[in-house]
Structures are given as structure tokens and as C-alpha cells.
Amino acid sequence: MIAVTRLNGNGMVLNSDLIKTAEASPDTMLTLINGEKLIVRETCAEVMERVITYRARLLARVAQHSEAHGGFERMAAVASLGVEDEYQVFPDPEANLSPRRG
């Protein structure tokens, strides 16, 4: 989440994962993944810096917590496991027992 300021001076907190694009025209217009557009006082560079700072804090927390749960290497190894279906996060072990056709 990042803090931004609307043109009218009202502050708001925005989920930075929802930002699709940021354009300077001349005000900064953020286009969200749902198509909504927000005009904010911050420059594109300031928005980018806030997003990077927020994500760096998140990664630092993950690294701290991972040390207590087997280390970052273990988490990376689990994350890199291949699955046949890109949307299947937890593959069904029984599915591999049936013969494949094709």
C-alpha cells in the first residue's frame, strides 16, 4: 500500500499491485487494472519510488520470516516447483497416477 494525494488535497492509500500504468500528462494519471483512473499530485518518479520502497519492505519481511521457517532457499525451492497447469498452485498427486492419452 502506498500513500498518494488526489489533486483536491485529500490523501488516500492505494494498493500498488492495482497500478497498471502511470502517465505524466502533465498531472500524474494512474490507471488501475480495473480501468479506473486516478489523478494524483505526486510525480511518476515519486509514485515509482513509493512502490519500490513498499515492495522492498515486503521482501525484507519475507526474508526475516523465512529464516524462522527453513530459510529463503527452501521457500525459493518450493516456489520454483513446476506444475502442469499455471493456475494449479497445489498439484493433485493422484492426478499423476492415471495414464495419459495423447
Side-chain angles (χ1 to χ4, degrees), residues 83-85 88 92 95-102:
V83 292
E84 291 180 23
D85 182 353
Q88 186 178 3
D92 180 8
N96 292 331
L97 297 177
S98 61
R100 294 185 179 207
R101 297 181 188 184

Side-chain angles (χ1 to χ4, degrees), residues 31-51:
T31 303
L32 307 184
I33 59 173
N34 66 358
E36 183 179 350
K37 296 185 184 299
L38 299 171
I39 298 177
V40 297
R41 289 185 175 184
E42 291 77 13
T43 65
C44 285
E46 289 171 319
V47 171
M48 285 178 20
E49 185 60 34
R50 290 178 188 186
V51 170

Side-chain angles (χ1 to χ4, degrees), residues 15-30:
N15 181 342
S16 61
D17 291 333
L18 300 179
I19 300 172
K20 183 176 181 180
T21 62
E23 300 175 47
S25 60
D27 298 317
T28 303
M29 181 173 57
L30 305 177

